[in-house]
Amino acid sequence: MLLNDWFNEGLTAQQYINTMNVNKEKMQSITQQYVLKSADTCHSLQQHQFRALVLTADWCGDAMVNLPIFMKIAEEANIEARYFIQDENLELMDQFLTNGTARSIPIIVLINEDGTVYAKWGPRAAKVQNIVDESKSNLPAKEHPDFEPAFKEFVQKLSARYSVDSTIWEMIEEDMLTTFVK
């Protein structure tokens, strides 16, 4: 299926939010709190008339923090977006694997009018990846019996930080716009 056809099958932002069972309140809280720092840069994207395909899932902490920021960028840039639940759209997901192997989300794909990919972003801003990598370096080895509870605690702490840390939000905005504005 062509990307334009996929786009026509996707959910609007509100439809996606309405399907959410996990992280909905945190995502909406970020949406309410965050103010774009680079609205002028977003306006420069308007001339391209981009559309976006967004691969996501409500259980994903990275989607919880990235999507509110993308939604604000999309609103300012007049980018019409459609959302796709990862596990329900594996054929689309497999076209945009991270490092050619991983079904990591969220993935945001900007397409032009004819459905050609202009830019792909995700699943995480580079500076945020550095924070995650540093935090993960303190975890026990995967084979260690303490790994599972330590990993669960890591995820909870990271999700809590994602929910309130405006510095991370700004890193995400900067990274997305660096990708989108070529």
Side-chain angles (χ1 to χ4, degrees), residues 31-74:
T31 301
Q32 291 169 350
Q33 295 177 62
Y34 192 66
V35 176
L36 286 175
K37 307 298 179 224
S38 304
D40 289 344
T41 304
C42 296
H43 295 155
S44 73
L45 291 169
Q46 290 178 354
Q47 65 183 337
H48 300 290
Q49 299 178 344
F50 291 129
R51 291 169 296 140
L53 293 91
V54 181
L55 288 145
T56 188
D58 66 348
W59 51 261
C60 176
D62 285 301
M64 172 200 71
V65 69
N66 289 310
L67 294 187
I69 293 150
F70 171 71
M71 288 174 182
K72 288 188 179 269
I73 290 170

Side-chain angles (χ1 to χ4, degrees), residues 85-145:
I85 309 301
Q86 173 196 27
D87 292 339
E88 296 172 10
N89 296 281
L90 294 178
E91 183 181 335
L92 178 61
M93 179 77 245
D94 288 347
Q95 294 179 50
F96 300 102
L97 299 174
T98 300
N99 300 323
T101 59
R103 289 179 173 159
S104 302
I105 53 174
I107 297 294
I108 300 167
V109 181
L110 292 188
I111 60 173
N112 60 25
E113 287 182 41
D114 69 3
T116 302
V117 174
Y118 173 80
K120 173 190 168 231
W121 184 92
R124 195 179 278 145
K127 290 179 182 176
V128 176
Q129 184 64 50
N130 291 339
I131 292 168
V132 170
D133 291 344
E134 184 178 318
S135 298
K136 273 186 170 179
S137 70
N138 299 321
L139 292 174
K142 281 188 177 184
E143 305 78 34
H144 195 279

